[in-house]
């Protein structure tokens, strides 16, 4: 029987490939998405589905290649272009001149300082390091913004410049993405009710921006308010830090949630797509080995991934009690997608592994829709959020 479901997408980077297989089974059963919410990389899938993308269009986007044959997703790991930032150039110059301001150094050093700065800021490693220290991320994230804008305009959608309100009006879909406000120390649920004039692409960019991997996003004045509050200058990052699987926002009976998600919208017609790293992916094979030789540092994705895993491991430890309660309470609404051994930043996944991950996701959703999942537990009370 055809049904509409509210869909929840967990964050997981490249592991989100399993969503494509799950969506194939979902569509095969004749079902349709209603409300969508995603956290971290899950916000990307949620946004594309809300924009009208089906499973095959999602797969095409994932399979897209750069002119040199690499997966286009690898271009999201882009080098910051800080040489265009006059403020950074001036600050570096001031710092160097101050450090070199002593009687033993002649005044004629200034032209040398300018030349040194020009040389330094055009070196990729230096630009990555400066980006990490100044903006909290090794990569810029500009390539992702360009990619998402392109996808939101594809097929005549004309959504690349939309605000969350305009996106909702044009698509008739209720999209929410979760982000973490480092300045205000709170979880943000970004949608047309809470942040009506925030650009859609920047809402998703905030949600997917894993700390230390991608630059933090600083809220701009022209983006308006969040729930009526001034957010200018607030530093916003990956929603997975505070809620990587926000299923409670669709099902919990809480007046505070009503204000964010809409009054009286609690539903049992929900499917949470959970990336489960304890479940083996049949046929995936061993993860790829990464070389340790030069050019090395900028290409050591394994080192960056280890840092990402540490960050999420810390977040999961802090939130473990809450998460376990949610997973237990709503396990009858959760479709667990196998992802054992799949790298969070394995965007250059071999075709065999890609196919294995998608097939595992498809089988998991097929089993879920066929009724092979836990029965609903007794009603459970949760603390208000």
């Amino acid at each position: 029987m055809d049904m509409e479901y509210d869909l929840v997408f967990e964050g997981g980077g490249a592991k989100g490939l399993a969503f494509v297989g799950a969506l194939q089974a979902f569509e095969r059963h004749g079902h349709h998405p209603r409300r969508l919410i995603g956290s971290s990389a899950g916000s990307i899938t949620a946004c594309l589905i809300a924009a009208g993308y089906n499973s095959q269009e999602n797969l095409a986007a994932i399979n897209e290649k750069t002119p040199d044959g690499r997966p286009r997703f690898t271009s999201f790991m882009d080098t910051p272009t800080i040489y265009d930032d006059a403020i950074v150039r001036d600050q570096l110059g001031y710092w160097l001149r101050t450090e070199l301001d002593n009687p033993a150094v002649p005044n004629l050093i200034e032209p040398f300082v300018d030349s040194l700065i020009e040389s330094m800021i055009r070196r990729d490693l230096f630009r990555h390091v400066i980006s990490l220290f100044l903006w909290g991320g090794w990569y810029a994230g500009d390539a992702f913004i360009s990619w998402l804008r392109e996808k939101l305009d594809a097929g005549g959608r004309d959504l690349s410049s939309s605000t969350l309100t305009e996106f909702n009006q044009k698509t008739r879909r209720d999209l929410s993405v979760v982000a973490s406000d480092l300045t205000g120390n709170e979880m943000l649920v970004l949608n047309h009710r809470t942040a009506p004039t925030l650009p859609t692409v920047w809402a998703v960019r905030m949600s997917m921006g894993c700390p230390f991997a991608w630059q933090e996003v600083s809220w701009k004045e022209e983006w308006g308010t969040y729930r009526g509050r001034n957010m200018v200058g607030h530093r916003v990052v990956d929603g997975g830090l505070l809620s990587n699987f926000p299923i409670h926002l669709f099902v919990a009976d809480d007046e505070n949630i009503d204000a964010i998600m809409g009054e009286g919208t609690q539903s049992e017609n929900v499917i949470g797509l959970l990336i489960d790293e304890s479940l083996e992916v049949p046929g995936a094979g061993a993860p790829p080995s990464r070389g340790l030789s030069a050019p090395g540092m900028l290409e050591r994705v394994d080192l960056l991934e280890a840092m990402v895993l540490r960050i999420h491991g810390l977040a999961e430890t802090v939130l473990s009690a809450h998460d376990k309660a949610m997973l237990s309470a709503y396990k009858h609404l959760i479709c667990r997608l196998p992802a054992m051994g799949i790298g969070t930043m394995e965007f250059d996944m071999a075709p065999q592994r890609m196919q294995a991950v998608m097939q595992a996701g498809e089988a998991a959703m097929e089993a879920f829709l066929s009724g092979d999942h836990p029965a609903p537990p007794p009603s459970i009370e949760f603390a208000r959020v």
Side-chain angles (χ1 to χ4, degrees):
M1 181 174 62
D2 295 358
M3 296 182 66
E4 283 192 334
Y5 284 93
D6 298 328
L7 301 180
V8 183
F9 295 92
E10 186 189 20
K15 300 180 183 75
L17 184 62
F19 294 148
V20 174
L23 290 169
Q24 288 174 340
F26 181 81
E27 293 168 358
R28 189 166 57 245
H29 280 257
H31 301 318
H32 303 280
R34 190 171 67 118
R35 295 182 297 169
L36 301 116
I37 189 168
S39 186
S40 192
S43 67
I44 304 171
T45 302
C47 180
L48 291 180
I49 295 173
Y53 277 69
N54 59 29
S55 61
Q56 290 306 309
E57 289 172 310
N58 269 281
L59 179 58
I62 290 171
N63 281 333
E64 196 173 355
K65 305 291 184 183
T66 61
D68 60 1
R70 295 181 303 128
R72 191 168 175 191
F73 274 30
T74 62
S75 71
F76 297 170
M77 296 181 282
D78 49 347
T79 302
T81 54
I82 64 170
Y83 52 79
D84 291 330
D85 194 315
I87 295 176
V88 173
R89 294 161 69 99
D90 290 346
Q91 288 178 341
L92 285 173
Y94 176 78
W95 176 75
L96 283 173
R97 292 183 187 97
T98 301
E99 291 298 309
L100 296 173
D101 186 16
N102 66 73
V105 179
N107 292 331
L108 296 177
I109 198 68
E110 189 162 323
F112 167 75
V113 170
D114 291 338
S115 176
L116 179 61
I117 291 172
E118 286 294 328
S119 175
M120 290 170 64
I121 63 180
R122 293 187 181 278
R123 294 180 182 272
D124 284 356
L125 177 58
F126 181 79
R127 285 152 59 186
H128 280 291
V129 171
I130 289 296
S131 174
L132 181 62
F133 277 97
L134 294 183
W135 300 295
W138 189 258
Y139 302 119
D142 296 336
F144 170 77
I145 288 288
S146 297
W147 174 86
L148 184 57
R149 283 179 171 149
E150 178 185 311
K151 298 309 167 193
L152 291 182
D153 274 344
R157 289 177 172 87
D158 192 26
L159 295 167
S160 66
S161 61
S162 68
T163 64
L164 288 170
T165 294
E166 292 165 345
F167 185 93
N168 172 259
Q169 292 171 344
K170 289 182 178 181
T171 64
R172 302 297 181 186
R173 290 276 173 78
D174 193 324
L175 170 68
S176 298
V177 300
V178 175
S180 302
D181 178 7
L182 298 183
T183 305
N185 301 316
E186 68 171 322
M187 180 178 80
L188 305 179
V189 182
L190 305 171
N191 57 41
H192 65 282
R193 288 171 292 270
T194 61
T197 57
L198 176 65
T200 305
V201 292
W202 281 105
V204 178
R205 171 64 180 82
M206 290 175 185
S207 183
M208 61 74 69
C210 183
F212 304 134
W214 283 278
Q215 292 177 358
E216 301 161 349
V217 176
S218 180
W219 196 292
K220 298 180 181 179
E221 184 176 3
E222 58 265 32
W223 295 348
T225 62
Y226 175 75
R227 303 186 69 185
R229 302 198 311 268
N230 180 18
M231 296 286 288
V232 175
H234 280 224
R235 297 177 298 120
V236 186
V237 298
D238 192 337
L241 285 182
L242 296 180
S243 182
N244 205 36
F245 190 59
I247 192 170
H248 66 288
L249 294 173
F250 279 157
V251 297
D253 184 9
D254 187 317
E255 62 184 16
N256 294 317
I257 292 178
D258 287 349
I260 294 171
M261 302 301 295
E263 189 173 352
T265 57
Q266 292 75 30
S267 171
E268 279 286 308
N269 235 31
V270 174
I271 301 178
L273 287 85
L274 179 73
I275 294 172
D276 193 333
E277 296 174 9
S278 71
L279 297 179
E280 185 178 355
V281 180
S289 58
R290 299 190 184 275
L292 304 180
S293 59
M297 184 63 181
L298 295 181
E299 297 181 359
R300 289 297 306 279
V301 176
D302 55 332
L303 295 181
L304 184 61
E305 180 163 351
M307 182 162 54
V308 170
L309 290 176
R310 283 196 177 99
I311 296 167
H312 280 280
L314 176 62
E316 288 171 9
T317 300
V318 172
L319 299 172
S320 61
H322 178 270
D323 287 348
K324 287 179 180 177
M326 290 293 162
L327 292 177
S328 176
Y330 304 128
K331 60 185 178 182
H332 62 294
L333 303 176
I334 295 173
C335 176
R336 294 178 176 271
L337 308 178
M340 180 186 292
I342 305 301
T344 301
M345 301 189 73
E346 195 180 335
F347 296 118
D348 55 350
M349 201 179 301
Q352 176 188 350
R353 280 172 69 80
M354 289 181 65
Q355 190 64 28
V357 173
M358 287 190 293
Q359 288 177 345
E362 183 177 8
M365 178 61 81
E366 185 65 43
F368 179 89
L369 295 174
S370 299
D372 187 12
H373 56 88
S379 178
I380 295 179
E381 291 284 335
F382 290 96
R384 295 190 178 276
V385 296

